[in-house]
Amino acid sequence: MAVRNIVETVAHTLREEMRRDSRIIVIGEDVAKIGGVFQATKGLLSEFGPERVIDAPLAESSLVGIAVGAAAAGLRPVVEIQFADFIYPAMDQIINEAARLRYRSNNGYHCPLVIRTPYGVAPGGGGGLYHNQSVEGMFCGVPGLKIVAPATPYDTKGLLIAALRDPDPVLFLEHKATYRAVSGEVPDEEYTIAIGKADVKREGRDLTVIAYGLMLHQALAAAEKLAKSHIDVEVVDLRSLKPLDKELICRSVRKTGKALVAHEDCLSGGIGGEIAAVIMEECFFHLDAPVMRVAAPDIPLAPYSRHLEEHVVPGRAALEKAMRELARF
Amino acid sequence: MITEITLPKLGESIVEGIIGRWLKKVGERVERDEPLVEVDTDKINTEIPSPVGGYITGLLVEEGQTIAVGTPIALIESDEREEQSDPALVTANGKSNGAVEPPRYSPAVRRLADESGIDPATVVGSGLEGRVTRRDMERAMEQAVEQAVEQAMEQKAMEQKAVEQKVARLFSGDEVIPLTSMRRHIAARMCESKRLVPHAWTMVEVDVTKLVAYRRAIKEEVLKREGVNLTYLPFVIKAAVEGLRAYPILNSQWDNDRIVVKKHINIGIAVDLNDGLIVPVIKDADQMSIIGLAQAVHDLATRARTGTLRPEDVEGGTFTINNTGAFGSIMSAPIINYPQAAIMSMETITRRPVVVGDGIAIRDMMNLCVSLDHRVLDGAVIGRFLRLVKNRLESFDASTPIY
């Protein structure tokens, strides 16, 4: 078993799957010659050649469009959108083509496409408005699309393999602040983690925190701190944002009676609202407090100024405060 | 506000007490925690402190009366500020200028209220601004279940009492002795043990000639130096705890559908009193030397006879040793101190002819008898245990350290 960080795990898993399945191609800006700006496709060009590892022009709509066609024709394309902030030109291709091809063709075609993209704020990275966005809220209402957002190397490998073998389009979100900051043991053998399955990363009985990506790690750290005040927090890692693991979410909330949803995406229209609604519908009579949300305010993320960035991007301190409040309720 | 004072629970398995002497009169003032009344129970005699400060407005029970735990015994006009008022109402009052709003409960609390029939208004809230939380309700439900179980057990005990009707016909000259609380307690415990536990019994004889000589040689010195009379009991306890360490299954109890082996070795010793007996407990007896055991025995026996045992002195026993030899008995079949799994009695030491090798010698002989819970233990393990205890006792001599 090797210890890898998340970006190494992405590169390693892509290589292994490309060796296994010659239909897999990688396409994106700077993915070939320089191995991706984050090095998530490092070494793929030299091993698999320019026919399978393709540098694309700065034209997201075209490169997703090409990939949709390739997928429909039998390949298994992996598109890298360099920063999630750059995905908007491809919205039409993702929503109108990839996500509804199976439905539109009455099951005649399908679109086994993986779109990988780094999202979220790299704290202190100075990325400003165009390199820090979280886009998941915008895609969660798109039928036909699956969305995953792993937070650990183990889950990254298992979910990436599952996404590569899925017959339908998967948006694969990688929090860029976890790329090198989060390491862990990754088994050498291949395994998959079912898309749509969440995971309890820490058991507790007083309240449930539901998070993913970088926020999961913040929640775990805050939970450790609260444990010193004898507040016993359960932390659920969503892993998949669509479909949601309603069963596990509700099992946890029924146990604790209190739920807090945390994401770095903006509050309004974020996935936290959807999860809160699910909890209200499915476990109302187990609730002992209103469902709380910790999220970014409804402003463009993130300010260039480091101090403003710290002020608006929710982190461990905001989580800890909300968790204490909920525990006290 | 008038506070009703009830007889508190004074220890494990104590369900009633006798009001001994009132230390305050009606109209007198009593401070919080000041002794109010003396109470005798099965196990201890103690003073009950007043839980509140104020003036006594009524003493509800006469001296000498036997009453159940929880019975009201006194009324005190308390002048302390009321601290535990209903916080939900206080909050509502504070917000609405006197008009009381009904408190609001979370869905979880309302569900639990429906399921359990417990009115959340009767539950003290620990949440924000005194809100009744789900956890508060769960605790209240647990308490309600415990209370229901206790009530059911009391009910059953009452029914049983009714069944045990008096059968003695009284003739002139017959004397009727009313039961003391201790007598009643002993009767209940013995019946319980005999009813629940299938007793088996076994005995070994032990040649304690060397031990007798050894004790005789050192007892004067021990008395002088330690102030305790060195009896055979500490030696028997010492040998027994070594046996219990080797065969921990004897230090256990039957628990419905399982057996619980106790970690601590706490030896109960039966102490005879004028009008009954009590079994104080030597905690962690396996950690003590022979002198330590002698001192513990002396201390507990003295305090048992002067009525100054504390509740914890009579709790937690895991194995009992009974010195029936003190009455001259050479053989006895003790009743197990339920829920323990076994009890051992040491019988009187007699000098008698014994076959030693091919000859007959006069030896000091003692019998050890064990009653065992046959659900937990079988003859074979008792045999091994007794062989070890016997070997130890027979090996005690001048080389045995007593410290």
Side-chain angles (χ1 to χ4, degrees):
Chain A
M1 207 181 292
V3 173
R4 290 199 183 89
N5 64 31
I6 287 184
V7 75
E8 287 164 353
T9 304
V10 170
H12 190 84
T13 307
L14 283 173
R15 183 180 307 116
E16 283 183 340
E17 284 293 283
M18 287 177 81
R19 282 177 187 159
R20 190 190 56 79
D21 186 347
S22 61
R23 294 172 301 170
I24 298 176
I25 61 165
V26 169
I27 177 167
E29 293 152 14
D30 296 324
V31 294
K33 269 185 199 151
I34 71 163
V37 289
F38 290 101
Q39 302 286 282
T41 52
K42 187 182 174 187
L44 298 184
L45 176 66
S46 59
E47 181 168 348
F48 301 103
E51 293 217 322
R52 294 183 65 192
V53 185
I54 302 158
D55 273 330
L58 300 189
E60 286 78 9
S61 179
S62 305
L63 74 93
V64 174
I66 289 164
V68 170
L75 291 182
R76 299 242 158 192
V78 180
V79 171
E80 178 180 301
I81 302 291
Q82 198 166 68
F83 284 84
D85 319 48
F86 308 163
I87 206 168
Y88 306 118
M91 291 291 259
D92 181 49
Q93 289 299 323
I94 296 171
I95 297 171
N96 277 330
E97 307 299 340
R100 53 192 67 193
L101 187 57
R102 183 186 284 280
Y103 190 85
R104 176 162 71 116
S105 67
N106 195 24
N107 233 1
Y109 289 94
H110 62 113
C111 187
L113 163 69
V114 175
I115 301 172
R116 293 182 36 251
T117 188
Y119 74 109
V121 176
L129 294 181
Y130 299 110
H131 298 83
N132 279 323
Q133 295 177 32
S134 292
V135 298
E136 57 271 26
M138 227 164 289
F139 287 99
C140 277
V142 178
L145 194 62
K146 291 168 183 162
I147 307 174
V148 298
T152 66
Y154 180 89
D155 290 349
T156 299
K157 176 170 175 178
L159 278 167
L160 185 51
I161 295 179
L164 289 165
R165 297 179 188 181
D166 198 278
D168 291 300
V170 179
L171 182 59
F172 195 91
L173 299 172
E174 301 157 9
H175 198 294
K176 64 177 80 71
T178 66
Y179 263 158
R180 289 183 173 76
V182 179
S183 293
E185 288 195 334
V186 186
D188 297 325
E189 67 273 14
E190 58 176 67
Y191 59 92
T192 58
I193 290 171
I195 294 173
K197 290 289 173 198
D199 185 34
V200 174
K201 286 282 197 284
R202 183 188 202 282
E203 298 214 15
R205 57 193 282 273
D206 292 334
L207 61 105
T208 299
V209 176
I210 300 157
Y212 56 93
L214 179 64
M215 214 56 148
L216 173 84
H217 298 285
Q218 315 267 37
L220 287 170
E224 281 309 312
K225 232 181 141 188
L226 263 66
K228 292 187 185 111
S229 314
H230 306 290
I231 299 169
D232 190 14
V233 180
E234 177 144 316
V235 181
V236 171
D237 180 2
L238 273 186
R239 300 199 296 200
S240 290
L241 311 186
K242 193 178 172 71
L244 279 175
D245 191 348
K246 295 181 185 179
E247 199 187 313
L248 185 141
I249 293 169
C250 290
R251 194 162 58 230
S252 176
V253 175
R254 284 195 190 104
K255 181 172 86 171
T256 61
K258 294 178 175 180
L260 181 141
V261 193
H263 54 64
E264 209 180 282
D265 201 356
C266 292
L267 184 72
S268 299
I271 194 171
E274 178 63 25
I275 293 171
V278 167
I279 292 171
M280 237 78 88
E281 285 169 356
E282 311 262 330
C283 27
F284 182 73
F285 288 106
H286 289 80
L287 279 180
D288 199 30
V291 178
M292 284 180 77
R293 287 179 293 170
V294 167
D298 293 339
I299 59 162
L301 287 183
Y304 283 107
S305 151
R306 176 146 192 189
H307 298 296
L308 290 178
E309 179 195 292
E310 279 171 11
H311 186 67
V312 298
V313 177
R316 201 184 76 181
L319 265 173
E320 197 188 313
K321 186 164 167 270
M323 282 154 74
R324 283 189 191 280
E325 210 174 296
L326 189 56
R328 205 167 41 233
F329 184 82
Chain B
M1 191 190 71
I2 302 261
T3 305
E4 191 180 76
I5 313 300
T6 58
L7 182 66
K9 200 160 162 53
L10 297 163
E12 189 181 79
S13 80
I14 293 182
V15 294
E16 59 185 20
I18 303 169
I19 296 299
R21 194 160 62 88
W22 283 105
L23 304 172
K24 294 281 171 188
K25 293 193 195 67
V26 172
E28 256 185 287
R29 194 186 152 70
V30 63
E31 299 302 327
R32 178 193 277 254
D33 295 332
E34 192 184 350
L36 183 64
V37 63
E38 288 176 359
V39 172
D40 301 341
T41 71
D42 300 333
K43 294 180 175 175
I44 51 155
N45 305 325
T46 188
E47 289 175 346
I48 307 293
S50 175
V52 294
Y55 289 91
I56 297 183
T57 56
L59 301 179
L60 308 178
V61 182
E62 283 176 24
E63 293 180 356
Q65 229 178 308
T66 303
I67 53 164
V69 166
T71 307
I73 56 172
L75 300 173
I76 294 178
E77 170 86 63
S78 164
D79 44 16
E80 288 180 17
R81 264 195 62 210
E82 199 183 337
E83 276 162 19
Q84 285 208 336
S85 56
D86 186 341
L89 290 181
V90 170
T91 310
N93 272 335
K95 277 184 183 159
S96 62
N97 235 351
V100 179
E101 283 175 14
R104 289 185 176 173
Y105 302 113
S106 75
V109 168
R110 293 171 71 147
R111 176 176 58 83
L112 293 175
D114 279 351
E115 285 172 9
S116 66
I118 294 175
D119 180 358
T122 63
V123 176
V124 177
S126 67
L128 193 65
E129 295 177 346
R131 186 182 75 90
V132 175
T133 66
R134 190 174 84 156
R135 204 49 63 69
D136 296 331
M137 281 301 285
E138 285 166 354
R139 259 195 293 269
M141 286 162 68
E142 278 165 23
Q143 280 167 7
V145 170
E146 277 168 25
Q147 273 172 13
V149 170
E150 264 176 40
Q151 272 172 10
M153 280 169 68
E154 269 171 35
Q155 178 78 20
K156 213 174 145 193
M158 299 243 296
E159 281 165 13
Q160 216 156 1
K161 267 187 192 165
V163 170
E164 289 170 16
Q165 284 176 358
K166 295 187 177 73
V167 291
R169 288 179 62 196
L170 297 180
F171 295 98
S172 81
D174 293 353
E175 189 192 354
V176 174
I177 303 173
L179 290 181
T180 60
S181 145
M182 178 181 287
R183 198 70 253 155
R184 184 174 288 134
H185 186 67
I186 292 171
R189 295 293 307 271
M190 293 301 114
C191 285
E192 186 183 33
S193 179
K194 271 286 187 181
R195 188 161 49 81
L196 293 175
V197 180
H199 284 61
W201 182 84
T202 188
M203 183 181 89
V204 292
E205 32 178 23
V206 186
D207 181 343
V208 290
T209 311
K210 281 192 286 185
L211 172 59
V212 168
Y214 179 39
R215 174 186 165 263
R216 192 177 296 139
I218 61 173
K219 69 177 187 187
E220 291 301 325
E221 194 195 329
V222 169
L223 181 60
K224 206 165 16 167
R225 196 181 327 166
E226 306 294 341
V228 294
N229 195 8
L230 184 63
T231 65
Y232 293 105
L233 182 55
F235 293 95
V236 173
I237 297 173
K238 186 76 187 166
V241 296
E242 285 179 24
L244 292 174
R245 276 180 135 172
Y247 303 104
I249 189 68
L250 269 81
N251 197 56
S252 68
Q253 65 183 61
W254 181 263
D255 185 36
N256 198 13
D257 61 344
R258 56 186 187 175
I259 293 168
V260 176
V261 179
K262 311 299 273 185
K263 180 169 187 295
H264 291 273
I265 297 181
N266 300 333
I267 302 294
I269 48 166
V271 175
D272 125 75
L273 308 172
N274 285 337
D275 52 350
L277 86 126
I278 193 161
V279 186
V281 176
I282 304 174
K283 301 276 161 70
D284 294 315
D286 55 328
Q287 317 275 334
M288 294 184 183
S289 65
I290 286 167
I291 287 296
L293 289 168
Q295 278 163 338
V297 168
H298 176 75
D299 169 55
L300 289 171
T302 309
R303 289 200 286 118
R305 289 184 180 126
T306 53
T308 51
L309 287 174
R310 298 178 296 265
E312 60 265 30
D313 291 328
V314 291
E315 286 176 0
T318 60
F319 184 87
T320 298
I321 295 177
N322 193 0
N323 184 5
T324 42
F327 318 126
S329 161
I330 56 159
M331 195 189 288
S332 59
I335 296 176
I336 289 168
N337 191 2
Y338 178 79
Q340 296 167 22
I343 184 169
M344 185 168 84
S345 65
M346 51 183 285
E347 305 297 330
T348 201
I349 297 169
T350 54
R351 281 172 66 72
R352 58 187 172 85
V354 177
V355 175
V356 178
D358 286 332
I360 293 176
I362 294 175
R363 309 290 291 176
D364 290 297
M365 300 300 291
M366 177 178 76
N367 292 336
L368 289 178
C369 306
V370 169
S371 292
L372 51 126
D373 184 341
H374 216 324
R375 296 172 302 181
V376 182
L377 301 164
D378 301 310
V381 68
I382 296 299
R384 285 193 287 271
F385 167 78
L386 279 173
R387 195 177 316 140
L388 190 151
V389 176
K390 172 184 159 80
N391 286 343
R392 285 299 291 139
L393 281 171
E394 291 182 347
S395 71
F396 283 143
D397 60 18
S399 68
T400 306
I402 57 169
Y403 286 97

